[in-house]
Amino acid sequence: MRLDGDEWQRTFDSFTHDAWRFETQPTYTMPRETENVARFLRGESKPADHNARWHGRVRDYVSSGRRIGRVRTVRQPLTDYQRYQFAWGIPGNIAAGEDIRILDVTDHDHGLPLGTTDWWMFDDTGVVHLNFRPDGTQIDRETFDGDVTSYREWKRIALAASVPFAEYVKEHR
């Protein structure tokens, strides 16, 4: 089933324990980020309210006892978008309560599905695919109705092979 707008919001917000994302795109082309990415690349300062709506949602999830996190895959060298995420996006998300880990797949893919689909797993039982064009533009979101055993294993592998964001940044300065 395809999820748009309010239906996606309701699906996302309905998790009870854990929301976790496997994030693989080298670049995300999102209209609402275009100007901020351009500002970053010009060397301008990050706006004070950058990503504030997401940060509020994360704080709400965490304050209600729920966990939210992701593993972000990267290959060296980082893309401009990944550099933007590392400087402007991820630190604020972590400060809001999101657990973000980095998995460098430059030399080893760890047997993980690194393609055109990212996914969210909710409460280790539900999966929603985020489908993208090669340029990083999201095509759609759709629920996965099959057996989630592989997704649980990929999550386990990604978490075991990744490192906390701060550790990755420290090692790769």
Side-chain angles (χ1 to χ4, degrees), residues 139-158:
I139 300 167
D140 61 20
R141 299 173 207 92
E142 62 182 325
T143 57
F144 174 75
D145 295 323
D147 182 0
V148 298
T149 302
S150 295
Y151 291 87
R152 284 189 202 120
E153 180 61 9
W154 293 328
K155 178 182 176 183
R156 185 196 64 75
I157 292 167

Side-chain angles (χ1 to χ4, degrees), residues 47-66:
D49 65 345
H50 183 266
N51 220 9
R53 202 166 85 192
W54 176 249
H55 297 159
R57 288 180 67 195
V58 169
R59 282 190 292 275
D60 288 347
Y61 299 139
V62 172
S63 69
S64 71
R66 297 182 281 175

Side-chain angles (χ1 to χ4, degrees), residues 77-135:
L78 298 179
T79 65
D80 286 345
Y81 185 85
Q82 289 168 336
R83 292 186 314 100
Y84 158 76
Q85 275 190 318
F86 276 41
W88 282 24
I90 293 173
N93 294 2
I94 291 171
E98 189 174 353
D99 176 31
I100 300 178
R101 300 175 62 83
I102 305 299
L103 177 58
D104 193 320
V105 295
T106 303
D107 298 320
H108 184 44
D109 69 8
H110 302 275
L112 295 167
L114 303 172
T116 58
T117 301
D118 287 15
W119 43 274
W120 279 98
M121 177 178 274
F122 301 102
D123 299 323
D124 284 336
T125 59
V127 172
V128 174
H129 288 173
L130 309 176
N131 301 310
F132 294 88
R133 292 187 180 98
D135 72 350

Side-chain angles (χ1 to χ4, degrees), residues 12-101:
F12 196 104
D13 289 341
S14 69
F15 77 94
T16 57
H17 302 290
D18 178 67
W20 186 83
R21 182 171 176 176
F22 187 61
E23 192 171 55
T24 67
Q25 305 307 304
T27 298
Y28 294 93
T29 305
M30 299 187 302
R32 69 178 182 270
E33 281 190 330
T34 302
E35 182 55 33
N36 279 331
V37 173
R39 286 177 179 160
F40 168 77
L41 293 174
R42 289 190 302 260
E44 296 177 17
S45 297
K46 179 175 75 171
D49 65 345
H50 183 266
N51 220 9
R53 202 166 85 192
W54 176 249
H55 297 159
R57 288 180 67 195
V58 169
R59 282 190 292 275
D60 288 347
Y61 299 139
V62 172
S63 69
S64 71
R66 297 182 281 175
R67 293 181 313 274
I68 186 163
R70 68 182 75 204
V71 167
R72 174 67 168 111
T73 64
V74 298
R75 293 181 193 277
Q76 292 295 330
L78 298 179
T79 65
D80 286 345
Y81 185 85
Q82 289 168 336
R83 292 186 314 100
Y84 158 76
Q85 275 190 318
F86 276 41
W88 282 24
I90 293 173
N93 294 2
I94 291 171
E98 189 174 353
D99 176 31
I100 300 178
R101 300 175 62 83

